[in-house]
Amino acid sequence: MTALSSKNCSLQYQFHQSPQLLEASCLLFLIILGKVLLNILILRVRREDTRWTLMEYFCFSLALVDLLLLVNIAILTYFRDFVVLGIRFTRYHICLLTQIISFTYGFLHYPVCSLACIDYWCNLSRATKQSSRWQKLLYFLTVILTWISVLAYVLVDPAISVSLKAHRGYVYQCPSYVSTQSHWLSLSMLMVLFVAFLISWQEVVALLQAMRIVSYKSKAALYFPFPPHCGYAVSCREALLPRLIVCFLGTWFPFVALQVLILSLRVQIPAYIEMNVPWLYFVNSFLIAAVYWFNCHKLDLRDSSLPVDPFINWKCCFVPVHRLKQVERPMSIVIC
């Protein structure tokens, strides 16, 4: 009688477990589906005349990995229990796959940003507009090597292995890794923006007050005339900083506000959601602005060989300050 009751209890537990498992699997599928659609939308609305960079390659690779993750979750959720090459797969593997992806995404922020910054810094002196075949191959191999290296670190790290084994079994009890790299990266960028705005807030306000909407190449554009008191003694970086701030915030202010809200409320976002294409393009624009500011004496924004942002046309945003002496009257800034 006791054995029968124990069996009935086990069957009853599995009966109540299945709806929870199905609900968690469907919720995860919808989350990843929304992320995939967002990635596709951002990749569609980006500027198509941009030169391929390392960050561009990684954005497309991330979109591809998200799509593969979505397909795998859909297969595991639909077939529930199946065998491939002698290996049994169940919906419980959804938790394991999601955790591995979360750890991998969480450790990618620093390497990707560092490599992208090095790429932009080196490309300032390039003379060709399009990336060469060898450079594209180098970008492709670098992206593949980065993914493999981070994934290998996740799989061999003892602490991560213990975490993966400790929570295996149930999707609805499967915790997701929250990246500390994205937290500190976001906090650092916001602090830099705050300090930069604090230093040049008067110039930023003057630019915004002088803003006009004009037509440029059959498109609506913002026109910022130089203020009359813009002297030639002003250093290159001091004059360039407010224009960079206006151009950057003019495109990414909603994303900056979102980052402020997330950090203020201490919202913990799983790494498989936080690492996305919009976030990478946001970081990409920040890195380009930073490289421009540090190398303002080397810039020639009329030279099409410079790195091109898919969302901000930096060539049209400002004219190098060291070229002001070559004209008789103040020039203007156009944001495309």
Side-chain angles (χ1 to χ4, degrees):
M1 185 69 179
T2 303
L4 182 60
S5 299
S6 176
K7 182 178 181 181
N8 290 337
C9 289
S10 178
L11 291 175
Q12 186 178 6
Y13 173 76
Q14 293 179 6
F15 176 76
H16 289 291
Q17 177 185 356
S18 297
Q20 291 178 318
L21 183 60
L22 180 61
E23 181 180 353
S25 302
C26 292
L27 179 60
L28 181 61
F29 175 81
L30 292 177
I31 292 175
I32 302 300
L33 176 61
K35 184 185 177 185
V36 169
L37 294 177
L38 178 62
N39 291 341
I40 295 175
L41 175 63
I42 296 299
L43 292 176
R44 288 288 297 174
V45 300
R46 57 182 282 277
R47 293 169 57 95
E48 297 182 357
D49 58 345
T50 57
R51 180 172 56 82
W52 281 86
T53 61
L54 181 64
M55 185 65 84
E56 288 284 323
Y57 275 81
F58 191 82
C59 286
F60 276 86
S61 69
L62 177 63
L64 179 61
V65 173
D66 283 338
L67 182 60
L68 293 176
L69 176 62
L70 178 67
V71 172
N72 285 310
I73 292 177
I75 293 175
L76 291 171
T77 303
Y78 181 78
F79 290 101
R80 302 185 182 183
D81 193 339
F82 59 97
V83 178
V84 177
L85 300 177
I87 302 176
R88 183 184 179 187
F89 292 93
T90 67
R91 283 183 297 179
Y92 299 121
H93 287 86
I94 296 177
C95 176
L96 179 62
L97 180 62
T98 304
Q99 283 188 308
I100 293 176
I101 290 296
S102 293
F103 280 112
T104 304
Y105 283 4
F107 290 115
L108 277 171
H109 294 272
Y110 288 169
V112 171
C113 292
S114 301
L115 291 173
C117 187
I118 295 174
D119 178 41
Y120 288 134
W121 193 282
C122 296
N123 280 334
L124 279 175
S125 58
R126 292 186 66 249
T128 58
K129 178 178 180 179
Q130 299 296 333
S131 302
S132 65
R133 180 179 303 177
W134 293 109
Q135 188 174 22
K136 291 180 180 179
L137 179 61
L138 178 62
Y139 286 157
F140 178 79
L141 294 178
T142 302
V143 170
I144 296 298
L145 182 60
T146 303
W147 278 104
I148 294 176
S149 301
V150 175
L151 181 59
Y153 173 78
V154 169
L155 295 179
V156 302
D157 185 75
I160 297 178
S161 299
V162 171
S163 177
L164 294 176
K165 294 178 181 179
H167 301 285
R168 63 183 180 183
Y170 308 104
V171 177
Y172 56 89
Q173 293 179 353
C174 182
S176 297
Y177 173 69
V178 178
S179 175
T180 56
Q181 290 188 6
S182 63
H183 172 81
W184 290 112
L185 183 60
S186 177
L187 182 62
S188 301
M189 290 192 298
L190 291 179
M191 290 180 62
V192 170
L193 284 173
F194 176 75
V195 173
F197 181 80
L198 200 63
I199 293 175
S200 59
W201 68 271
Q202 292 181 340
E203 290 80 3
V204 171
V205 172
L207 287 176
L208 293 177
Q209 290 177 345
M211 180 181 66
R212 299 291 185 272
I213 299 178
V214 298
S215 177
Y216 179 77
K217 293 184 178 181
S218 302
K219 295 181 180 180
L222 300 180
Y223 172 78
F224 294 90
F226 277 112
H229 61 275
C230 182
Y232 300 144
V234 179
S235 69
C236 173
R237 291 177 179 174
E238 290 180 1
L240 198 57
L241 184 59
R243 299 174 178 87
L244 290 172
I245 294 175
V246 170
C247 297
F248 180 81
L249 293 181
T251 300
W252 292 109
F253 180 77
F255 210 91
V256 172
L258 178 62
Q259 295 301 312
V260 172
L261 185 63
I262 291 175
L263 293 177
S264 301
L265 300 179
R266 297 182 179 180
V267 179
Q268 293 187 340
I269 303 176
Y272 67 87
I273 299 177
E274 195 169 32
M275 171 61 83
N276 52 69
V277 173
W279 161 256
L280 288 179
Y281 277 131
F282 169 73
V283 176
N284 182 64
S285 297
F286 182 87
L287 293 178
I288 292 178
V291 171
Y292 279 170
W293 186 78
F294 277 108
N295 296 273
C296 62
H297 57 284
K298 301 178 183 178
L299 293 182
D300 182 2
L301 294 183
R302 292 166 180 172
D303 183 4
S304 59
S305 65
L306 289 177
V308 180
D309 193 315
F311 289 92
I312 303 177
N313 190 347
W314 295 102
K315 290 195 305 177
C316 297
C317 289
F318 51 87
V319 175
V321 178
H322 68 274
R323 287 183 170 268
L324 292 179
K325 297 180 181 180
Q326 302 177 8
V327 298
E328 299 178 354
R329 55 183 180 180
M331 301 181 70
S332 62
I333 307 170
V334 178
I335 298 180
C336 300

